[in-house]
Amino acid sequence: MSIYERTLEKFARTSAGYWFVRNVAPRVDPPLLRITGGRVSTVYPAPVMLLTTTGAKSGLPRTLPLLYLVADDSLILIASNYGRPGHPAWYRNLKATPTVEVLAGNRSGTYSASEITDHTEREDAWTKALDQYAGYGDYEARAAARTIPLIRLRRSG
């Protein structure tokens, strides 16, 4: 990681950084990602996508920015919910309707979501997630009562 990336990660793990990623980035990133075709976010160069799911109860489209990992031919999402006790709403949406739209530069398109349940595959993906952002370890400690789900997105059709 560059000095900039290390500084950004260190800031994100502070209370001010935690506040920023929970309150500011989710408001600023959607228009920024749309304007740049999914290439630039408030935490650039970390990969952030705009994920559009279908609401599990409402059936309406729900769009939010999420960090992701690239793994071979798929994208990996971490349902950390910032370490809160419950799973994030987007995770429940994916479980109900696994077809999603992704805006992430040249990775944009329609994807199908599935939870990574194989132990070895999950451990490998979790290690990659921690390499990308060590703060996931903080979230894991906060969410001690639940296992943080990892979701694999595979391009459809």
Side-chain angles (χ1 to χ4, degrees):
M1 276 200 275
S2 69
I3 287 177
Y4 170 75
E5 290 169 307
R6 285 193 306 269
T7 303
L8 186 62
E9 181 174 289
K10 204 178 273 189
F11 170 70
R13 295 178 73 187
T14 67
S15 58
Y18 180 70
W19 180 87
F20 178 85
V21 299
R22 284 191 55 217
N23 298 292
V24 176
R27 289 182 173 88
V28 174
D29 280 344
L32 186 57
L33 287 161
R34 284 186 187 102
I35 289 168
T36 64
R39 291 184 295 275
V40 178
S41 72
T42 56
V43 293
Y44 181 82
V48 176
M49 70 168 61
L50 271 186
L51 177 72
T52 301
T53 63
T54 301
K57 292 180 183 177
S58 70
L60 298 173
R62 303 292 185 203
T63 302
L64 72 153
L66 287 176
L67 281 173
Y68 67 94
L69 309 169
V70 177
D72 301 322
D73 63 340
S74 60
L75 307 177
I76 307 292
L77 303 177
I78 297 88
S80 65
N81 204 16
Y82 305 103
R84 294 179 185 144
H87 297 315
W90 64 262
Y91 170 78
R92 292 188 299 278
N93 293 347
L94 287 180
K95 296 300 271 186
T97 307
T99 301
V100 299
E101 290 297 321
V102 168
L103 177 64
N106 64 0
R107 294 185 178 91
S108 298
T110 303
Y111 286 77
S112 181
S114 61
E115 188 165 349
I116 299 172
T117 56
D118 177 78
H119 179 73
T120 304
E121 191 178 347
R122 189 188 186 291
E123 286 300 314
D124 181 53
W126 185 250
T127 299
K128 288 177 183 171
L130 290 173
D131 285 346
Q132 181 183 27
Y133 176 54
Y136 286 129
D138 302 339
Y139 298 163
E140 183 179 41
R142 284 188 207 136
R146 71 177 177 98
T147 300
I148 293 175
L150 302 182
I151 305 297
R152 178 177 305 285
L153 299 181
R154 291 191 197 276
R155 196 178 288 273
S156 297

